[in-house]
Amino acid sequence: MKNMLYKEFRLAMHPTAFLFMALAVMMLIPNYPYYVTFFYMTLAIFFICLGGRENHDIFYTMTLPVAKSSVVSARFIMAVILEITQIILALPFAILRSTFKSVPPNQAGMDANAAMFGISFVLLGLFNFVFFTKYYKDPDKVGKAFAVSSIIYFAAMLIAEACSFAIPFVHEHIDNTLSADMPYRLVILAAGIVIYAVLTLVSYKKSVKSFCALDL
């Protein structure tokens, strides 16, 4: 697996992934839907898979002495590394923004707090589940897989943002950076991480099954 990951990062990696990592600084933008920040990394994953299709990456990989399941495993591990790296990079900017006392709360949706990161984990988990399960059924139709997963991502994002306006409890106790409400936000963060892990794991297992059954 070490060699497969080396191949992923050396040959399959798309340069936009590094560019989109830098967009973690968007946490500092006032009145911005911060969930969009993490969507860019899903776009980078799409570009990686699209580039792989154009460069016949799967055909090349299958000429190597590796199992089909290893092909899926390496791509999943790469995607998870990219997603979590961007979240880690966004954390210091979110913390920095919370120190700007003169800046009013985010009027466009959820503040950059622990709950927002928890929900971002859920959104990324949904993307992984929808995108990869569809992609590994037919790697040539990567555009269709990304289109469907993007619609799901933004639909879930709009629901999450709407909750911060429509649900009084969320508006008063979740959508803020007050230390008194931190336990609520930490619960959402923990739940988001668990949901992300479960969705990604289920997606991985379904993707391996689909790809192993695929006649290449």
Side-chain angles (χ1 to χ4, degrees), residues 47-57 139-140 142:
F47 285 148
I48 289 170
C49 294
L50 181 63
R53 185 190 70 180
E54 302 307 314
N55 294 313
H56 306 289
D57 174 69
D140 287 334
V142 59

Side-chain angles (χ1 to χ4, degrees), residues 87-164:
I87 287 178
I88 292 174
L89 291 174
L91 278 172
F93 294 107
I95 294 173
L96 178 62
R97 189 187 189 285
S98 68
T99 65
F100 298 160
K101 302 303 181 182
S102 60
V103 178
N106 185 12
Q107 302 299 312
M110 186 74 73
D111 277 322
N113 57 29
M116 187 277 297
F117 281 96
I119 296 171
S120 296
F121 270 111
V122 175
L123 295 176
L124 290 172
L126 284 171
F127 170 82
N128 290 344
F129 180 81
V130 178
F131 176 76
F132 284 114
T133 53
K134 288 188 173 296
Y135 170 68
Y136 281 108
K137 286 181 179 179
D138 189 349
D140 287 334
K141 296 181 179 179
V142 59
K144 181 179 178 181
F146 182 70
V148 175
S149 57
S150 297
I151 291 172
I152 298 297
Y153 185 101
F154 277 101
M157 185 193 81
L158 290 174
I159 292 172
E161 293 288 40
C163 287
S164 64

Side-chain angles (χ1 to χ4, degrees), residues 18-63:
F18 300 105
L19 172 64
F20 294 150
M21 282 183 189
L23 296 181
V25 73
M26 294 170 73
M27 291 289 115
L28 297 177
I29 300 176
N31 300 327
Y32 187 79
Y34 297 119
Y35 299 119
V36 175
T37 305
F38 304 109
F39 173 77
Y40 284 107
M41 190 50 67
T42 71
L43 185 59
I45 293 170
F46 163 66
F47 285 148
I48 289 170
C49 294
L50 181 63
R53 185 190 70 180
E54 302 307 314
N55 294 313
H56 306 289
D57 174 69
I58 290 179
F59 175 80
Y60 162 74
T61 306
M62 293 312 302
T63 63

Side-chain angles (χ1 to χ4, degrees), residues 3-21 40-53 55 57 60-61 74-86 89:
N3 290 333
M4 285 295 294
L5 282 175
Y6 182 79
K7 170 259 175 189
E8 287 291 301
F9 281 98
R10 292 289 293 177
L11 298 180
M13 174 67 79
H14 195 276
T16 55
F18 300 105
L19 172 64
F20 294 150
M21 282 183 189
Y40 284 107
M41 190 50 67
T42 71
L43 185 59
I45 293 170
F46 163 66
F47 285 148
I48 289 170
C49 294
L50 181 63
R53 185 190 70 180
N55 294 313
D57 174 69
Y60 162 74
T61 306
R75 182 57 53 87
F76 261 81
I77 294 173
M78 181 190 198
V80 169
I81 289 174
L82 292 176
E83 291 167 350
I84 293 180
T85 297
Q86 189 178 42
L89 291 174

